[in-house]
PDB file of all heavy atoms in Angstrom:
ATOM      1  N   VAL I  32     -30.982  17.961   9.468  1.00  0.00           N
ATOM      2  CA  VAL I  32     -32.176  17.283   9.967  1.00  0.00           C
ATOM      3  C   VAL I  32     -32.577  17.794  11.316  1.00  0.00           C
ATOM      4  O   VAL I  32     -33.759  17.930  11.682  1.00  0.00           O
ATOM      5  CB  VAL I  32     -31.816  15.743  10.037  1.00  0.00           C
ATOM      6  CG1 VAL I  32     -32.952  14.980  10.863  1.00  0.00           C
ATOM      7  CG2 VAL I  32     -31.702  15.208   8.677  1.00  0.00           C
ATOM      8  N   SER I  33     -31.523  18.116  12.190  1.00  0.00           N
ATOM      9  CA  SER I  33     -31.952  18.631  13.620  1.00  0.00           C
ATOM     10  C   SER I  33     -32.581  20.033  13.454  1.00  0.00           C
ATOM     11  O   SER I  33     -33.423  20.271  14.381  1.00  0.00           O
ATOM     12  CB  SER I  33     -30.563  18.706  14.459  1.00  0.00           C
ATOM     13  OG  SER I  33     -29.749  19.743  13.911  1.00  0.00           O
ATOM     14  N   CYS I  34     -32.255  20.730  12.436  1.00  0.00           N
ATOM     15  CA  CYS I  34     -33.028  22.044  12.225  1.00  0.00           C
ATOM     16  C   CYS I  34     -34.520  21.858  11.974  1.00  0.00           C
ATOM     17  O   CYS I  34     -35.414  22.469  12.420  1.00  0.00           O
ATOM     18  CB  CYS I  34     -32.478  22.824  11.238  1.00  0.00           C
ATOM     19  SG  CYS I  34     -30.803  23.492  11.699  1.00  0.00           S
ATOM     20  N   PHE I  35     -34.856  20.753  11.089  1.00  0.00           N
ATOM     21  CA  PHE I  35     -36.161  20.493  10.871  1.00  0.00           C
ATOM     22  C   PHE I  35     -36.932  19.800  12.003  1.00  0.00           C
ATOM     23  O   PHE I  35     -38.120  20.073  12.285  1.00  0.00           O
ATOM     24  CB  PHE I  35     -36.337  19.514   9.555  1.00  0.00           C
ATOM     25  CG  PHE I  35     -36.085  20.208   8.384  1.00  0.00           C
ATOM     26  CD1 PHE I  35     -34.803  19.890   7.553  1.00  0.00           C
ATOM     27  CD2 PHE I  35     -36.875  21.227   7.876  1.00  0.00           C
ATOM     28  CE1 PHE I  35     -34.585  20.528   6.397  1.00  0.00           C
ATOM     29  CE2 PHE I  35     -36.453  21.977   6.612  1.00  0.00           C
ATOM     30  CZ  PHE I  35     -35.388  21.590   6.034  1.00  0.00           C
ATOM     31  N   LEU I  36     -36.329  19.047  12.757  1.00  0.00           N
ATOM     32  CA  LEU I  36     -36.814  18.360  13.973  1.00  0.00           C
ATOM     33  C   LEU I  36     -36.765  19.249  15.244  1.00  0.00           C
ATOM     34  O   LEU I  36     -37.477  18.881  16.245  1.00  0.00           O
ATOM     35  CB  LEU I  36     -36.138  17.063  14.177  1.00  0.00           C
ATOM     36  CG  LEU I  36     -36.184  16.013  13.147  1.00  0.00           C
ATOM     37  CD1 LEU I  36     -35.372  14.845  13.504  1.00  0.00           C
ATOM     38  CD2 LEU I  36     -37.625  15.618  12.857  1.00  0.00           C
ATOM     39  N   GLU I  37     -36.095  20.418  15.085  1.00  0.00           N
ATOM     40  CA  GLU I  37     -35.933  21.383  16.278  1.00  0.00           C
ATOM     41  C   GLU I  37     -35.362  20.609  17.466  1.00  0.00           C
ATOM     42  O   GLU I  37     -35.875  20.642  18.547  1.00  0.00           O
ATOM     43  CB  GLU I  37     -37.248  22.030  16.644  1.00  0.00           C
ATOM     44  CG  GLU I  37     -37.801  22.786  15.529  1.00  0.00           C
ATOM     45  CD  GLU I  37     -39.089  23.409  15.778  1.00  0.00           C
ATOM     46  OE1 GLU I  37     -39.722  23.212  16.849  1.00  0.00           O
ATOM     47  OE2 GLU I  37     -39.655  24.184  14.969  1.00  0.00           O
ATOM     48  N   SER I  38     -34.315  19.797  17.220  1.00  0.00           N
ATOM     49  CA  SER I  38     -33.739  19.012  18.296  1.00  0.00           C
ATOM     50  C   SER I  38     -32.309  19.728  18.624  1.00  0.00           C
ATOM     51  O   SER I  38     -31.426  19.688  17.797  1.00  0.00           O
ATOM     52  CB  SER I  38     -33.468  17.594  17.849  1.00  0.00           C
ATOM     53  OG  SER I  38     -32.661  16.965  18.759  1.00  0.00           O
ATOM     54  N   GLY I  39     -32.132  20.273  19.801  1.00  0.00           N
ATOM     55  CA  GLY I  39     -30.955  20.925  20.034  1.00  0.00           C
ATOM     56  C   GLY I  39     -29.814  19.897  20.370  1.00  0.00           C
ATOM     57  O   GLY I  39     -28.627  20.157  20.204  1.00  0.00           O
ATOM     58  N   ILE I  40     -30.161  18.780  21.018  1.00  0.00           N
ATOM     59  CA  ILE I  40     -29.168  17.730  21.345  1.00  0.00           C
ATOM     60  C   ILE I  40     -28.484  17.220  20.041  1.00  0.00           C
ATOM     61  O   ILE I  40     -27.309  17.063  19.981  1.00  0.00           O
ATOM     62  CB  ILE I  40     -29.696  16.601  22.195  1.00  0.00           C
ATOM     63  CG1 ILE I  40     -30.240  17.248  23.491  1.00  0.00           C
ATOM     64  CG2 ILE I  40     -28.800  15.514  22.331  1.00  0.00           C
ATOM     65  CD1 ILE I  40     -29.252  17.763  24.455  1.00  0.00           C
ATOM     66  N   LEU I  41     -29.361  16.916  18.943  1.00  0.00           N
ATOM     67  CA  LEU I  41     -28.904  16.494  17.761  1.00  0.00           C
ATOM     68  C   LEU I  41     -27.944  17.456  17.096  1.00  0.00           C
ATOM     69  O   LEU I  41     -27.000  17.211  16.499  1.00  0.00           O
ATOM     70  CB  LEU I  41     -29.958  15.992  16.919  1.00  0.00           C
ATOM     71  CG  LEU I  41     -29.699  15.429  15.445  1.00  0.00           C
ATOM     72  CD1 LEU I  41     -28.778  14.108  15.795  1.00  0.00           C
ATOM     73  CD2 LEU I  41     -30.916  15.045  14.703  1.00  0.00           C
ATOM     74  N   ALA I  42     -28.371  18.733  17.087  1.00  0.00           N
ATOM     75  CA  ALA I  42     -27.708  19.878  16.495  1.00  0.00           C
ATOM     76  C   ALA I  42     -26.234  19.906  17.144  1.00  0.00           C
ATOM     77  O   ALA I  42     -25.302  20.084  16.488  1.00  0.00           O
ATOM     78  CB  ALA I  42     -28.417  21.138  16.544  1.00  0.00           C
ATOM     79  N   LEU I  43     -26.250  19.855  18.477  1.00  0.00           N
ATOM     80  CA  LEU I  43     -25.006  20.053  19.245  1.00  0.00           C
ATOM     81  C   LEU I  43     -24.049  18.822  18.951  1.00  0.00           C
ATOM     82  O   LEU I  43     -22.960  19.063  18.649  1.00  0.00           O
ATOM     83  CB  LEU I  43     -25.316  20.097  20.669  1.00  0.00           C
ATOM     84  CG  LEU I  43     -24.132  20.408  21.646  1.00  0.00           C
ATOM     85  CD1 LEU I  43     -23.547  21.774  21.249  1.00  0.00           C
ATOM     86  CD2 LEU I  43     -24.600  20.321  23.010  1.00  0.00           C
TER      87      LEU I  43
END
Side-chain angles (χ1 to χ4, degrees):
V32 168
S33 70
C34 289
F35 287 116
L36 297 176
E37 298 177 0
S38 173
I40 298 295
L41 182 61
L43 186 62

